[in-house]
Amino acid sequence: MSHAENSIVINRPINVVFDFVLDGENGPRWRDSILDIKRMSDKPLGVGSAFKQGLKGPGGRRIEGDYEIVECKPNEWIKFQVTAGPARPTGTYHFEKADGGTRVTFTLHYDPKGFAVLMGPMITSNMKEEVATLSRLKSYLESQNP
């Protein structure tokens, strides 16, 4: 089992942080791993929203990383499931008011099966790098005019 988690306080209102993270097309602004991303429908963002995503893989090559939002409670949490790619973790963003801003906790969980078990350490390392991007989310959002 691979698991990674990180938490950070962002000096912005909870609705601003939540709405920004909910829209996956904002990802390239704070996640270096995204090469390209596109929302797959015009329906409102929330449960069922799907994103086609290309990520930087080993050796810099593009790998699929499509995902779908499977649970969502405004200003509280977003849960997603990766639906394409070599690893298909679940992820959750939790949002709560804290210290005049918003505490965001990003968790990734993956239970590898078969051959993927051998890639466990590499997958865990990649997941830890991904949850660490919260510091870039903080920098980006705090640099924007309120």
Side-chain angles (χ1 to χ4, degrees):
M1 171 180 20
S2 296
H3 180 85
E5 183 173 300
N6 191 21
S7 185
I8 199 163
V9 174
I10 299 173
N11 295 316
R12 288 290 180 261
I14 199 165
N15 64 309
V16 170
V17 179
F18 177 88
D19 290 346
F20 186 83
V21 173
L22 182 63
D23 185 351
E25 290 183 326
N26 287 325
R29 294 181 172 135
W30 60 283
R31 293 178 51 219
D32 285 338
S33 61
I34 298 177
L35 295 172
D36 54 81
I37 188 165
K38 181 181 178 186
R39 193 162 135 202
M40 299 309 294
S41 74
D42 289 335
K43 66 182 181 177
L45 288 168
V47 174
S49 293
F51 295 85
K52 183 159 186 60
Q53 177 175 243
L55 302 171
K56 292 178 189 172
R61 68 181 173 82
R62 184 186 187 283
I63 60 171
E64 297 293 319
D66 303 354
Y67 71 93
E68 180 177 346
I69 297 172
V70 295
E71 291 180 34
C72 182
K73 185 170 184 186
N75 302 325
E76 292 188 30
W77 77 80
I78 300 165
K79 184 174 183 179
F80 64 90
Q81 173 68 55
V82 175
T83 58
R88 299 187 184 186
T90 58
T92 306
Y93 292 95
H94 285 276
F95 304 86
E96 60 186 332
K97 291 181 182 180
D99 302 324
T102 304
R103 176 173 300 284
V104 181
T105 302
F106 182 17
T107 305
L108 286 170
H109 178 78
Y110 179 60
D111 193 10
K113 307 266 190 273
F115 178 71
V117 171
L118 300 174
M119 296 172 39
M122 182 181 75
I123 292 168
T124 299
S125 175
N126 288 343
M127 287 171 41
K128 286 180 180 178
E129 289 174 14
E130 192 62 35
V131 299
T133 62
L134 283 182
S135 62
R136 294 198 66 229
L137 175 63
K138 175 181 174 70
S139 295
Y140 181 82
L141 287 176
E142 290 180 359
S143 72
Q144 303 304 298
N145 291 326

